[in-house]
Amino acid sequence: VKHPLSCRWTLWFTKPASGKGDNWNDLLKKVITFESVEEFWGIYNNIAPVSELAVKSDYHLFKEGVRPEWEDPQNKHGGKWAYQFKDKRSVNIDELWLHTMLAAIGETLEDEEDGEVMGVVVNVRKGFYRIGVWTRTTGRHIASRGDGDVAGGKGRSLEKSKEILMNIGRRLKEVLKLPPNEMVEFSGHTEAAQAGSTRAKARMVV
Ligand code: M7G
């Protein structure tokens, strides 16, 4: 008996650049798409844990049909909640990443009708691990419109959009077992793209 997930998910991997000529697109690879709990465990048990990945690797687990990139039309108005674990040796990154993936595919990061969560990401970097949740919107107006509509907001008010995003941030903070004084930060992809990195200035924290 297979236990179906409420949608299909695709696992992606970013392999570390080997030389100067490598660009983002050459490094990002689709691994596999799945649709049941059993398939998830089969895949999980057969891939390298985050703790064994080389620096500059990423795993991305996204809803099928959404590429884990700022450029994807479905991420155009979006952003992400993220937290960096700077003490790499003391953190159980494998367990935290597993719990983050389970929260995503089990749809416990948001209420199902919210439809904000696009995927989850783990980055392995020289000085830290980063876990993030990508969202469809940023809870802000589209600058070019000025008609009060939230970008991609399904007709929601700005307040409601922000509340949905804040709840996702709070849920991520719980999943990552962070103490109250540690902050999970939200940033929009547009700012990240401009800064050339996701270390863009955060606009929301929980
Ligand atoms: P990062 O992995 O988000 O954060 O971006 P880091 O700076 O802490 O490592 C690292 C680099 O990967 C960026 O400067 C981009 O060159 C590239 N990169 C990351 N993302 C998520 C994207 C993306 O969505 N699109 C493109 N074109 N490049 C990206």
Side-chain angles (χ1 to χ4, degrees):
V1 181
K2 282 196 177 179
H3 296 81
L5 299 167
S6 52
C7 73
R8 289 161 63 91
W9 292 82
T10 303
L11 180 69
W12 301 72
F13 178 65
T14 309
K15 67 173 186 181
S18 51
K20 285 227 163 188
D22 292 328
N23 63 46
W24 166 259
N25 252 291
D26 303 328
L27 303 170
L28 179 65
K29 303 277 182 219
K30 216 182 248 191
V31 180
I32 195 162
T33 298
F34 58 92
E35 56 186 342
S36 74
V37 177
E38 290 76 6
E39 283 173 286
F40 169 76
W41 288 115
I43 294 157
Y44 180 74
N45 290 327
N46 282 285
I47 59 171
V50 176
S51 59
E52 289 176 16
L53 297 181
V55 166
K56 292 190 178 160
S57 306
D58 309 315
Y59 278 134
H60 318 254
L61 184 63
F62 272 64
K63 290 188 170 160
E64 186 185 34
V66 185
R67 288 179 63 88
E69 302 181 315
W70 313 315
E71 292 88 349
D72 188 288
Q74 296 178 84
N75 289 323
K76 207 170 106 183
H77 300 295
K80 70 165 189 188
W81 283 105
Y83 181 81
Q84 291 184 191
F85 295 91
K86 292 182 194 78
D87 190 354
K88 286 174 79 178
R89 276 178 302 183
S90 76
V91 65
N92 188 345
I93 193 67
D94 297 329
E95 182 185 288
L96 295 177
W97 173 237
L98 174 60
H99 289 174
T100 305
M101 287 192 292
L102 291 173
I105 67 176
E107 316 256 357
T108 64
L109 288 172
E110 64 180 347
D111 294 336
E112 206 170 322
E113 69 273 16
D114 293 343
E116 274 291 333
V117 174
M118 310 307 280
V120 291
V121 187
V122 63
N123 307 126
V124 180
R125 297 294 179 267
K126 188 160 176 276
F128 58 88
Y129 294 114
R130 181 196 292 124
I131 289 183
V133 177
W134 283 36
T135 60
R136 202 171 46 81
T137 69
T138 63
R140 277 209 299 198
H141 298 294
I142 311 171
S144 58
R145 287 183 51 170
D147 57 2
D149 238 24
V150 175
K154 296 183 170 178
R156 284 174 192 144
S157 69
L158 202 56
E159 288 66 33
K160 178 67 184 162
S161 293
K162 276 188 185 153
E163 187 192 315
I164 290 171
L165 291 172
M166 291 299 282
N167 283 335
I168 294 170
R170 284 185 207 107
R171 274 294 295 144
L172 178 64
K173 189 165 178 171
E174 284 170 19
V175 170
L176 299 180
K177 298 190 181 97
L178 294 171
N181 61 313
E182 286 299 313
M183 292 295 151
V184 172
E185 299 189 342
F186 187 88
S187 56
H189 295 317
T190 320
E191 296 141 332
Q194 279 163 6
S197 159
T198 47
R199 290 173 209 135
K201 207 169 172 237
R203 287 187 293 98
M204 293 193 276
V205 296
V206 290

